[in-house]
Amino acid sequence: MPSGGFFDPDKLQSEISELNDQVNNPNLWDNPDAARALLQKKSGLEKTLNELLTLESEYKNLAELYEMAPDDGEIVDAIAALGDAAHRAKFITLFREPADNSGAFLFIQAGAGGTEAQDWAQMMSRMYARWAERHGFSIEVIEEHEGDTAGIKNITYRISGDRAYGWLKNEIGVHRLVRISPFNANGKRQTSFASVDVWPDIDDNIEIEINDKDLRIDTYRASGAGGQHVNKTDSAVRITHLPTNTVVTCQNERSQIQNREMAMKMLRSKLYELELQKRAEAEDAAKAAQKKIEWGSQIRNYVLYPYQLVKDVRTGVEKTDSDAVLDGDLDDFMLSLLQRG
């Protein structure tokens, strides 16, 4: 496992040293937001360096063992497993933004089109759930609203695991489906839209200042399955941050108190993401524009008829096995954007 390329501990250590110099600046906390972003970036680089150094150590140990016993089946299996780990490690260095190492909240919203769009939103919710399972991430439903006839109007997932946000951040935007409608007796081709929003599940030790006077908190009765309290008590919570008009809701916890706690966590995470977007706009307006959700400017097309093709509009990456994509095979699309930077 030679140094250089994606595995360059000297380069990573140099970057960490530069960040340490900035951290030791006595004026660091004159700008708390910038200070927190700096510390989070430093922590991410240190985590990456430790993971890569661990791989290098394992490689050296296995190389010595293989030299002594090249026919040992366990050693051969361990080498194969290390090869898989090294392949995955190639992507570690792609996650370089301050929040990339965080978990994520993922929100899917059906577009206009009633049942067709709501069914597509449900298909997407399964697609991302299967993707999360492939990565070993845990996934929990924070809130879900069922469709009028089938599918869902929207759903909010909390996806927990290292770099979940880094993987998902470029999924923000409009996703377009073309297929023969299962809801149309004439078998006509139908185009449906759904949008995705993603924001980081920031660590609790990152402080986001929120004034109570800036909040409007509403309670309402939860909908859908979930226990005897559903539809009988005002346990669901909606919080609106008035200065930014940011709205978060939660209804799937057991009590109003727990729903409020989760909603506040989501709000803190969304406000943190808004701050990152402001910084991105100041540094790179083109990159910031990529994150905006605009109906009619889809980021990916999923064509099931008259042929099968899933194509990312931004990178041109395409896959003809649409069933595999809808079953969570999304990494090629995500990596192409991460590698583009």
Side-chain angles (χ1 to χ4, degrees), residues 74-119:
E74 291 187 5
I75 295 176
V76 172
D77 290 343
I79 291 173
L82 180 63
D84 291 339
H87 175 72
R88 293 192 298 272
K90 287 195 300 183
F91 310 128
I92 290 176
T93 54
L94 298 176
F95 302 101
R96 305 181 67 83
E97 296 300 321
D100 280 355
N101 291 294
S102 305
F105 291 101
L106 183 142
F107 175 74
I108 301 169
Q109 173 78 49
T115 300
E116 292 286 350
Q118 291 164 15
D119 186 57

Side-chain angles (χ1 to χ4, degrees), residues 15-30:
E15 290 186 50
I16 292 170
S17 296
E18 291 179 5
L19 291 176
N20 278 331
D21 291 340
Q22 298 178 51
V23 168
N24 292 328
N25 185 329
N27 299 320
L28 172 69
W29 288 97
D30 288 352

Side-chain angles (χ1 to χ4, degrees), residues 111 130 138 158 172 183 213 224 233 246 281 289 310 323:
R130 293 288 293 119
S138 63
R158 184 185 189 187
I172 298 173
F183 304 102
K213 64 181 179 62
T233 62
T246 300
E281 288 173 358
V310 181
D323 288 340

